[in-house]
Amino acid sequence: MKSEQISEHVWCLRTWMVIPLRVWVVREEDGVTLVDAGIPLMTKGIISFIDQLQAGPLKRIVLTHGHSDHVGAITGLLARYPDAEVYAHEIEFPYMEGNQPYPGRKKAAQSVKAGLAKPLDEEGGELADIGSLSVYHTPGHAPGHVVFFHKQDGMLLAGDLFTSKKGRLRKPMAMFTADMAEAVRSSEIVRQLKPKRLEICHGGPVMQPAAQLDEYQAASRAH
């Protein structure tokens, strides 16, 4: 697994398992936030990196959504950092806890043990900040998909809202996306936030992504 500091407070940890897989470590005042938890094979590498960073313990794991390739290291990480807490959008809970299948899938499949995760807080009908990250609901790929924005660093950690190719925005993988039209509508968050850099799980970074958004949306709706 490779690590790269991508802004003042954020590091990307990445590996390759048929497709690229990326998770992100955010240095906080009280320790570390991990955005997504990848696959089980990433567990030792994530622990090693957090220990070497010497920014404090893992305080929280925040999930963009509950698909299995975003939650795989949770069990091992909690064994090492038992006080860490796991958060996801409450809409994801029945799917990731195995009570009902994700839209478009035939069978329910538990990816997170029931009761393990806590719902992201809401304030006035909007998702509350967690650590240094602002949270936005971006449904489509999954019903409770969210993105995390580090405003100070201009960094948008966007999970599976997109894929990318050679620095260009591409649609999320159709096979695993519940509602592609909704996912494309959710891409408007990029125009709203205008991040300097967009990070996604299955692909490389996209710089100044808002400049590509009109082209991306037009191309996505044409197919």
Side-chain angles (χ1 to χ4, degrees), residues 6-210:
I6 55 177
S7 69
E8 182 180 353
H9 299 93
V10 183
W11 285 257
C12 170
L13 308 182
R14 64 186 189 273
T15 190
W16 184 278
M17 183 61 67
V18 183
I19 57 174
L21 287 161
R22 301 164 80 95
V23 303
W24 303 275
V25 170
V26 182
R27 185 177 62 210
E28 309 278 10
E29 292 183 357
D30 63 347
V32 166
T33 296
L34 178 70
V35 179
D36 283 340
I39 57 176
L41 285 173
M42 299 178 77
T43 305
K44 289 183 179 179
I46 294 170
I47 291 172
S48 176
F49 178 80
I50 291 173
D51 288 349
Q52 291 175 16
L53 188 61
Q54 296 186 327
L58 178 65
K59 298 293 288 188
R60 60 194 69 85
I61 302 167
V62 296
L63 303 176
T64 59
H65 60 300
H67 288 172
S68 59
D69 57 334
H70 293 255
V71 305
I74 288 176
T75 300
L77 291 170
L78 293 181
R80 173 65 176 83
Y81 307 102
D83 294 330
E85 296 181 314
V86 181
Y87 294 90
H89 197 296
E90 64 179 354
I91 292 175
E92 282 291 282
F93 281 51
Y95 306 108
M96 70 186 193
E97 292 183 350
N99 294 317
Q100 63 187 85
Y102 274 100
R105 298 190 184 183
K106 294 181 179 180
K107 294 183 179 181
Q110 186 183 60
S111 59
V112 177
K113 183 179 177 181
L116 182 65
K118 298 180 177 181
L120 290 160
D121 288 337
E122 292 193 24
E123 293 177 355
E126 295 187 351
L127 293 169
D129 292 356
I130 187 162
S132 59
L133 301 170
S134 300
V135 192
Y136 299 89
H137 185 207
T138 52
H141 180 72
H145 191 285
V146 298
V147 297
F148 298 95
F149 185 50
H150 196 291
K151 184 176 181 180
Q152 183 178 348
D153 290 9
M155 184 74 56
L156 184 60
L157 309 176
D160 285 355
L161 182 58
F162 304 94
T163 57
S164 68
K165 185 175 182 180
K166 297 181 179 179
R168 306 296 297 179
L169 296 173
R170 294 290 186 267
K171 291 190 294 186
M173 289 181 285
M175 182 185 303
F176 304 108
T177 297
D179 186 330
M180 187 62 76
E182 188 174 45
V184 173
R185 289 193 295 272
S186 287
S187 69
E188 275 294 316
I189 193 64
V190 172
R191 196 187 315 277
Q192 176 184 334
L193 298 176
K194 294 180 174 59
K196 297 176 184 176
R197 177 175 176 138
L198 173 76
E199 283 277 318
I200 53 179
C201 179
H202 306 301
V206 177
M207 311 306 290
Q208 305 295 340

